[in-house]
Structures are given as structure tokens and as C-alpha cells.
Coordinates of all heavy atoms in Angstrom, one line a residue:
M124 N 97.9 94.5 68.5 CA 97.7 94.4 70.0 C 97.6 95.8 70.5 O 98.4 96.7 70.1 CB 98.8 93.6 70.6 CG 98.8 93.5 72.1 SD 99.9 92.2 72.8 CE 98.8 90.9 72.8
N125 N 96.7 96.0 71.5 CA 96.7 97.3 72.2 C 96.9 97.1 73.7 O 97.0 96.0 74.1 CB 95.4 98.1 71.9 CG 94.2 97.2 72.4 OD1 94.2 96.7 73.5 ND2 93.1 97.2 71.6
R126 N 96.9 98.2 74.4 CA 97.3 98.1 75.8 C 96.2 97.4 76.6 O 96.5 96.7 77.6 CB 97.5 99.6 76.4 CG 98.0 99.5 77.8 CD 99.3 98.8 77.9 NE 99.9 98.8 79.3 CZ 99.6 97.8 80.2 NH1 98.8 96.8 79.9 NH2 100.1 97.9 81.3
L127 N 94.9 97.5 76.3 CA 93.9 96.8 76.9 C 94.1 95.2 76.8 O 93.9 94.5 77.7 CB 92.5 97.2 76.4 CG 91.3 96.5 77.0 CD1 91.3 96.7 78.6 CD2 90.0 97.0 76.5
E128 N 94.4 94.9 75.6 CA 94.7 93.4 75.3 C 95.9 92.9 76.1 O 96.0 91.8 76.6 CB 95.0 93.2 73.8 CG 93.7 93.4 73.0 CD 94.0 93.4 71.5 OE1 95.1 93.8 71.1 OE2 93.1 93.0 70.7
V129 N 96.9 93.8 76.3 CA 98.0 93.4 77.2 C 97.5 93.2 78.6 O 97.9 92.2 79.2 CB 99.1 94.4 77.1 CG1 100.3 94.2 78.1 CG2 99.8 94.7 75.7
T130 N 96.7 94.1 79.2 CA 96.3 93.9 80.4 C 95.4 92.7 80.5 O 95.5 92.0 81.6 CB 95.3 95.2 80.8 OG1 96.1 96.3 80.8 CG2 94.6 95.1 82.1
E131 N 94.6 92.4 79.7 CA 93.7 91.2 79.7 C 94.6 89.9 79.6 O 94.3 88.9 80.4 CB 92.8 91.1 78.5 CG 91.7 92.2 78.7 CD 90.7 92.4 77.5 OE1 91.1 91.8 76.5 OE2 89.8 93.0 77.5
K132 N 95.7 89.9 78.9 CA 96.7 88.8 78.8 C 97.3 88.6 80.2 O 97.4 87.5 80.7 CB 97.6 89.0 77.7 CG 98.8 88.1 77.7 CD 98.5 86.7 77.2 CE 99.8 85.9 77.1 NZ 99.6 84.5 77.3
I133 N 97.7 89.7 80.8 CA 98.5 89.6 82.1 C 97.4 89.1 83.1 O 97.8 88.1 83.9 CB 98.9 91.1 82.5 CG1 100.2 91.4 81.7 CG2 99.2 91.1 84.0 CD1 100.6 92.9 81.8
I134 N 96.2 89.6 83.2 CA 95.3 89.0 84.2 C 95.0 87.6 83.9 O 94.9 86.8 84.9 CB 94.0 89.9 84.2 CG1 94.3 91.3 84.6 CG2 92.9 89.3 85.0 CD1 93.2 92.3 84.5
S135 N 94.7 87.2 82.7 CA 94.3 85.8 82.4 C 95.5 84.9 82.9 O 95.3 83.8 83.4 CB 94.0 85.6 81.0 OG 94.9 85.8 80.1
T136 N 96.7 85.3 82.5 CA 97.9 84.5 82.8 C 98.1 84.4 84.3 O 98.4 83.4 84.9 CB 99.2 85.0 82.2 OG1 99.0 85.1 80.7 CG2 100.5 84.2 82.4
K137 N 97.9 85.5 85.0 CA 98.1 85.6 86.5 C 97.0 84.6 87.2 O 97.4 83.9 88.0 CB 97.7 87.0 86.9 CG 97.8 87.2 88.5 CD 97.4 88.5 88.9 CE 97.3 88.7 90.3 NZ 96.4 87.8 91.1
V138 N 95.8 84.6 86.7 CA 94.8 83.8 87.2 C 95.2 82.3 86.9 O 95.1 81.4 87.8 CB 93.4 84.1 86.7 CG1 92.4 83.0 87.1 CG2 93.0 85.5 87.3
A139 N 95.5 82.0 85.7 CA 95.7 80.7 85.2 C 97.0 80.0 86.0 O 96.9 78.8 86.3 CB 96.0 80.6 83.7
K140 N 98.0 80.8 86.2 CA 99.2 80.3 86.9 C 99.2 80.5 88.4 O 100.2 80.1 89.0 CB 100.4 81.0 86.3 CG 100.7 80.6 84.8 CD 101.9 81.2 84.3 CE 102.4 80.7 82.9 NZ 103.6 81.1 82.4
G141 N 98.2 81.2 88.9 CA 98.1 81.5 90.3 C 99.3 82.5 90.8 O 99.8 82.3 91.9
I142 N 99.6 83.4 89.9 CA 100.7 84.3 90.2 C 100.2 85.4 91.2 O 99.0 85.9 91.1 CB 101.1 84.9 89.0 CG1 101.8 83.9 88.0 CG2 102.2 86.0 89.3 CD1 102.1 84.4 86.7
K143 N 101.0 85.8 92.2 CA 100.6 86.9 93.1 C 101.3 88.2 92.8 O 102.4 88.1 92.4 CB 101.0 86.4 94.6 CG 100.3 85.2 95.1 CD 100.8 84.9 96.5 CE 100.1 83.6 97.0 NZ 100.5 83.3 98.4
W144 N 100.6 89.3 92.9 CA 101.2 90.5 92.7 C 102.4 90.7 93.5 O 103.4 91.4 92.9 CB 100.2 91.7 92.8 CG 99.1 91.8 91.9 CD1 97.7 91.8 92.2 CD2 99.1 91.9 90.5 NE1 97.0 91.8 91.1 CE2 97.8 92.0 90.0 CE3 100.2 91.8 89.6 CZ2 97.4 92.0 88.7 CZ3 99.8 92.0 88.2 CH2 98.6 92.1 87.7
S145 N 102.4 90.4 94.7 CA 103.6 90.5 95.6 C 104.8 89.8 95.1 O 106.0 90.3 95.0 CB 103.4 90.2 97.0 OG 102.9 88.8 97.0
D146 N 104.7 88.6 94.4 CA 105.8 87.9 93.8 C 106.3 88.6 92.6 O 107.5 88.7 92.3 CB 105.4 86.5 93.5 CG 105.0 85.6 94.7 OD1 105.6 86.0 95.9 OD2 104.3 84.7 94.6
V147 N 105.3 89.1 91.8 CA 105.7 89.9 90.6 C 106.5 91.1 91.0 O 107.6 91.4 90.4 CB 104.5 90.2 89.8 CG1 104.9 91.1 88.5 CG2 103.8 89.0 89.3
A148 N 106.0 91.9 92.0 CA 106.7 93.1 92.5 C 108.2 92.8 92.9 O 109.0 93.6 92.7 CB 105.9 93.7 93.6
E149 N 108.3 91.7 93.6 CA 109.6 91.4 94.1 C 110.6 91.1 92.9 O 111.7 91.7 92.9 CB 109.6 90.1 94.9 CG 110.9 89.7 95.6 CD 110.7 88.5 96.6 OE1 109.7 88.4 97.2 OE2 111.7 87.7 96.5
K150 N 110.1 90.4 91.9 CA 110.9 90.2 90.7 C 111.2 91.4 89.9 O 112.3 91.6 89.3 CB 110.3 89.1 89.9 CG 110.4 87.7 90.4 CD 109.6 86.7 89.6 CE 109.6 85.4 90.4 NZ 108.8 84.4 89.6
V151 N 110.3 92.3 89.9 CA 110.4 93.6 89.1 C 111.3 94.6 89.8 O 111.9 95.5 89.3 CB 109.1 94.1 88.6 CG1 109.1 95.5 87.9 CG2 108.4 93.2 87.7
G152 N 111.2 94.6 91.2 CA 111.9 95.6 92.0 C 111.2 96.8 92.3 O 111.7 97.8 92.6
L153 N 109.9 96.7 92.3 CA 109.0 97.9 92.6 C 107.9 97.4 93.6 O 107.8 96.3 93.9 CB 108.3 98.3 91.3 CG 109.1 98.9 90.2 CD1 108.3 99.1 88.9 CD2 109.8 100.2 90.6
S154 N 107.2 98.4 94.2 CA 106.2 98.1 95.2 C 105.1 97.2 94.5 O 104.8 97.4 93.3 CB 105.6 99.4 95.8 OG 104.8 100.0 94.8
K155 N 104.3 96.6 95.3 CA 103.3 95.7 94.8 C 102.2 96.6 94.2 O 101.5 96.3 93.2 CB 102.7 94.9 96.0 CG 101.4 94.2 95.6 CD 100.8 93.3 96.8 CE 100.2 94.3 97.7 NZ 99.4 93.6 98.8
E156 N 102.0 97.8 94.8 CA 100.9 98.7 94.3 C 101.3 99.3 92.9 O 100.5 99.4 92.0 CB 100.8 99.9 95.3 CG 100.2 99.6 96.6 CD 101.2 98.8 97.6 OE1 102.3 98.9 97.4 OE2 100.7 98.2 98.5
W157 N 102.6 99.7 92.8 CA 103.0 100.2 91.4 C 102.9 99.1 90.3 O 102.4 99.4 89.3 CB 104.4 100.7 91.6 CG 105.0 101.3 90.3 CD1 105.5 100.6 89.1 CD2 104.9 102.7 89.9 NE1 105.7 101.5 88.2 CE2 105.4 102.8 88.6 CE3 104.5 103.9 90.6 CZ2 105.5 104.0 88.0 CZ3 104.6 105.0 89.9 CH2 105.1 105.1 88.6
V158 N 103.4 97.9 90.7 CA 103.4 96.8 89.7 C 101.9 96.5 89.3 O 101.6 96.3 88.2 CB 104.1 95.6 90.2 CG1 103.9 94.3 89.4 CG2 105.6 95.9 90.3
T159 N 101.1 96.4 90.3 CA 99.7 96.1 90.0 C 99.0 97.2 89.2 O 98.4 96.9 88.1 CB 98.8 96.0 91.4 OG1 99.4 95.0 92.2 CG2 97.4 95.6 91.0
A160 N 99.2 98.4 89.5 CA 98.7 99.5 88.7 C 99.3 99.5 87.3 O 98.6 99.7 86.3 CB 99.0 100.9 89.4
G161 N 100.6 99.3 87.2 CA 101.2 99.2 85.9 C 100.7 98.0 85.0 O 100.5 98.2 83.8
C162 N 100.6 96.9 85.6 CA 100.0 95.8 84.8 C 98.6 96.0 84.5 O 98.1 95.3 83.5 CB 100.2 94.5 85.7 SG 101.8 93.9 85.9
L163 N 97.9 96.8 85.2 CA 96.5 97.1 84.9 C 96.3 98.3 83.9 O 95.3 98.7 83.6 CB 95.6 97.3 86.1 CG 95.5 96.1 87.1 CD1 94.7 96.4 88.3 CD2 94.9 94.9 86.3
G164 N 97.5 98.8 83.5 CA 97.5 99.8 82.4 C 97.6 101.2 83.0 O 97.3 102.2 82.1
Q165 N 97.8 101.5 84.2 CA 97.7 102.8 84.8 C 99.1 103.5 85.0 O 99.2 104.6 85.3 CB 97.0 102.7 86.1 CG 95.6 102.2 85.9 CD 94.9 101.9 87.3 OE1 95.5 102.0 88.4 NE2 93.7 101.3 87.2
M166 N 100.2 102.6 84.8 CA 101.5 103.2 85.0 C 102.4 102.6 83.9 O 101.9 101.8 83.1 CB 102.1 102.8 86.4 CG 101.3 103.2 87.6 SD 101.4 104.9 87.7 CE 100.7 105.1 89.4
T167 N 103.6 103.1 83.9 CA 104.5 102.6 82.8 C 105.8 102.0 83.5 O 106.1 102.2 84.6 CB 105.0 103.8 81.9 OG1 105.7 103.3 80.8 CG2 105.8 104.8 82.7
F168 N 106.5 101.1 82.7 CA 107.7 100.4 83.2 C 108.8 100.8 82.2 O 108.6 101.1 81.1 CB 107.5 99.0 83.1 CG 106.4 98.5 84.0 CD1 105.1 98.2 83.5 CD2 106.7 98.3 85.4 CE1 104.1 97.7 84.4 CE2 105.6 97.9 86.2 CZ 104.3 97.5 85.7
D169 N 110.1 100.7 82.7 CA 111.2 100.9 82.0 C 111.5 99.6 81.2 O 110.8 98.6 81.4 CB 112.5 101.4 82.8 CG 113.0 100.4 83.7 OD1 112.9 99.1 83.6 OD2 113.7 100.8 84.8
A170 N 112.5 99.6 80.4 CA 112.7 98.4 79.5 C 113.1 97.2 80.3 O 112.5 96.1 79.9 CB 113.9 98.7 78.5
K171 N 113.8 97.3 81.3 CA 114.2 96.1 82.1 C 113.0 95.6 82.8 O 112.8 94.4 82.9 CB 115.3 96.5 83.1 CG 115.8 95.3 83.8 CD 117.0 95.8 84.8 CE 117.4 94.6 85.7 NZ 118.5 95.0 86.6
Q172 N 112.3 96.4 83.5 CA 111.0 96.0 84.2 C 110.0 95.3 83.2 O 109.5 94.3 83.4 CB 110.4 97.2 84.9 CG 111.3 97.8 85.9 CD 111.0 99.2 86.3 OE1 110.2 99.8 85.6 NE2 111.5 99.7 87.5
A173 N 109.8 95.9 82.1 CA 108.9 95.4 81.1 C 109.4 94.1 80.6 O 108.5 93.1 80.4 CB 108.7 96.4 79.9
A174 N 110.7 93.9 80.3 CA 111.2 92.6 80.0 C 111.0 91.5 81.0 O 110.6 90.4 80.7 CB 112.7 92.7 79.6
T175 N 111.1 91.9 82.3 CA 110.8 90.9 83.4 C 109.4 90.5 83.4 O 109.1 89.4 83.5 CB 111.2 91.5 84.7 OG1 112.7 91.9 84.7 CG2 110.9 90.6 85.9
L176 N 108.5 91.5 83.2 CA 107.1 91.2 83.1 C 106.8 90.3 81.9 O 105.9 89.4 82.0 CB 106.3 92.5 83.1 CG 106.3 93.3 84.4 CD1 105.7 94.7 84.1 CD2 105.5 92.6 85.5
G177 N 107.4 90.6 80.8 CA 107.2 89.8 79.6 C 107.6 88.3 79.9 O 106.8 87.4 79.4
K178 N 108.6 88.1 80.6 CA 108.9 86.7 81.0 C 108.0 86.1 81.9 O 107.6 84.9 81.7 CB 110.4 86.6 81.6 CG 111.4 87.0 80.5 CD 112.8 87.0 81.2 CE 113.9 87.4 80.2 NZ 115.2 87.7 80.9
I179 N 107.6 86.8 82.9 CA 106.6 86.3 83.9 C 105.3 85.9 83.3 O 104.8 84.8 83.6 CB 106.4 87.3 85.1 CG1 107.7 87.5 85.8 CG2 105.2 86.9 86.0 CD1 107.7 88.7 86.8
F180 N 104.8 86.7 82.5 CA 103.5 86.6 81.9 C 103.4 86.1 80.4 O 102.5 86.0 79.8 CB 102.8 87.9 82.0 CG 102.4 88.3 83.4 CD1 103.0 89.4 83.9 CD2 101.5 87.7 84.1 CE1 102.8 89.8 85.3 CE2 101.2 88.0 85.4 CZ 101.9 89.2 86.0
S181 N 104.7 85.7 80.0 CA 104.8 85.1 78.6 C 104.2 86.0 77.5 O 103.4 85.6 76.7 CB 104.1 83.7 78.5 OG 104.6 82.8 79.4
L182 N 104.6 87.3 77.6 CA 104.2 88.3 76.7 C 105.0 88.3 75.4 O 106.2 88.2 75.5 CB 104.2 89.7 77.4 CG 103.3 89.7 78.6 CD1 103.6 91.1 79.3 CD2 101.8 89.5 78.3
P183 N 104.3 88.6 74.2 CA 105.2 88.9 73.0 C 105.9 90.2 73.1 O 105.6 91.1 73.9 CB 104.1 88.8 72.0 CG 102.8 89.3 72.7 CD 102.9 88.7 74.0
K184 N 106.9 90.3 72.2 CA 107.7 91.6 72.2 C 106.8 92.9 72.0 O 107.1 94.0 72.7 CB 108.7 91.6 71.1 CG 109.8 90.6 71.3 CD 110.8 90.6 70.1 CE 111.9 89.6 70.3 NZ 112.8 89.6 69.2
E185 N 105.7 92.8 71.3 CA 104.8 94.0 71.1 C 104.2 94.4 72.4 O 104.0 95.5 72.8 CB 103.8 93.7 70.0 CG 102.8 94.8 69.8 CD 101.8 94.4 68.8 OE1 101.6 93.3 68.4 OE2 101.0 95.3 68.5
A186 N 103.8 93.4 73.2 CA 103.2 93.7 74.5 C 104.3 94.3 75.5 O 103.9 95.2 76.2 CB 102.6 92.4 75.2
V187 N 105.5 93.8 75.4 CA 106.5 94.4 76.3 C 106.8 95.8 75.9 O 107.0 96.6 76.8 CB 107.8 93.4 76.2 CG1 109.0 94.1 76.9 CG2 107.6 92.0 76.8
A188 N 106.7 96.1 74.6 CA 106.9 97.5 74.2 C 105.8 98.3 74.7 O 106.0 99.5 75.1 CB 107.0 97.5 72.7
L189 N 104.6 97.9 74.7 CA 103.4 98.6 75.1 C 103.5 98.9 76.7 O 102.9 99.9 77.1 CB 102.1 97.9 74.8 CG 101.7 98.0 73.2 CD1 100.6 97.0 73.0 CD2 101.4 99.4 72.9
L190 N 104.1 98.0 77.4 CA 104.3 98.3 78.8 C 105.1 99.5 79.2 O 105.1 100.0 80.2 CB 104.8 97.0 79.5 CG 103.9 95.8 79.6 CD1 104.8 94.7 80.2 CD2 102.7 96.1 80.6
Q191 N 105.9 99.9 78.2 CA 106.8 101.1 78.3 C 106.2 102.4 77.8 O 106.8 103.4 77.9 CB 108.1 100.8 77.6 CG 108.8 99.6 78.1 CD 109.9 99.1 77.2 OE1 110.9 99.9 77.1 NE2 109.8 98.0 76.6
V192 N 105.0 102.3 77.3 CA 104.3 103.6 76.8 C 103.5 104.2 77.9 O 102.7 103.5 78.7 CB 103.4 103.2 75.7 CG1 102.6 104.4 75.2 CG2 104.1 102.6 74.5
V193 N 103.7 105.5 78.2 CA 103.0 106.2 79.1 C 101.5 106.1 78.9 O 101.0 106.5 77.8 CB 103.4 107.7 79.2 CG1 102.6 108.4 80.2 CG2 104.9 107.7 79.6
P194 N 100.7 105.8 79.8 CA 99.2 105.5 79.6 C 98.5 106.9 79.5 O 99.0 108.0 80.1 CB 98.7 104.8 80.8 CG 99.7 105.1 81.9 CD 101.0 105.3 81.2
Y195 N 97.4 106.9 78.8 CA 96.6 108.2 78.7 C 95.7 108.2 79.9 O 94.9 107.2 80.0 CB 95.8 108.1 77.4 CG 94.9 109.3 77.2 CD1 95.4 110.6 77.0 CD2 93.5 109.1 77.4 CE1 94.6 111.7 76.8 CE2 92.6 110.3 77.2 CZ 93.2 111.5 77.0 OH 92.3 112.5 76.9
K196 N 95.7 109.2 80.7 CA 94.9 109.3 81.9 C 93.9 110.4 81.9 O 93.1 110.6 82.8 CB 95.7 109.4 83.1 CG 96.7 108.2 83.4 CD 97.5 108.4 84.6 CE 98.5 107.3 84.8 NZ 99.3 107.4 86.0
G197 N 94.0 111.2 80.9 CA 93.0 112.4 80.8 C 91.8 112.1 80.2 O 91.5 111.1 79.7
S198 N 90.8 113.1 80.2 CA 89.6 113.0 79.5 C 89.5 113.9 78.3 O 90.3 114.7 78.1 CB 88.5 113.3 80.5 OG 88.6 114.7 80.9

């Protein structure tokens, strides 16, 4: 599994379950903007935040670990 696959899993689960970014942000304890960017692969989460996202989006352990890796943003 790679980070792009994690993002795709999050988006597909979000759509399938009708999850709102604002609801996810409240559960994670961060702003809606940060959570959205993080879930789309542009930010990183700490272990507790990633575990919460794992529960919300039914992610495997490998995906939860990838949410904690700093994304590559350079060219």
C-alpha cells in the first residue's frame, strides 16, 4: 500500500458513508482544512490522530502508519 492508495481509500469511504470533513475534524481535534489536506496526502498526523482516522475510515494498520509519514512536497 502507498500513500496515494490511502488517499483513495479515504475518499471512497467518505463518499460511500456520507462522511463530512467537518465531522472528521471534530473527532480528530484539528481544523477542517488541516484534516482535509492531511487526508488528501498533503499533511501528516500524529499517532493518536492517525488512529482516529483509521477507525473513521476503516483503514488497515499499514495505512494508519502512512498517515504519519511526512509527505514529499518538492520537485
Side-chain angles (χ1 to χ4, degrees):
M124 176 168 269
N125 62 45
R126 188 58 181 88
L127 180 58
E128 292 170 330
V129 175
T130 298
E131 291 172 350
K132 168 74 172 152
I133 288 172
I134 293 170
S135 65
T136 302
K137 179 185 176 297
V138 171
K140 293 185 175 183
I142 298 170
K143 295 181 182 180
W144 290 127
S145 57
D146 295 334
V147 176
E149 186 176 322
K150 291 177 182 174
V151 173
L153 296 169
S154 72
K155 178 179 72 170
E156 294 77 15
W157 182 276
V158 169
T159 303
C162 288
L163 297 178
Q165 301 167 359
M166 301 293 189
T167 188
F168 298 99
D169 66 25
K171 183 178 177 184
Q172 295 160 344
T175 300
L176 290 167
K178 291 177 186 173
I179 294 168
F180 294 108
S181 304
L182 300 173
K184 288 181 183 180
E185 181 182 4
V187 171
L189 286 169
L190 290 172
Q191 299 171 65
V192 175
V193 177
Y195 177 74
K196 296 183 185 181
S198 58

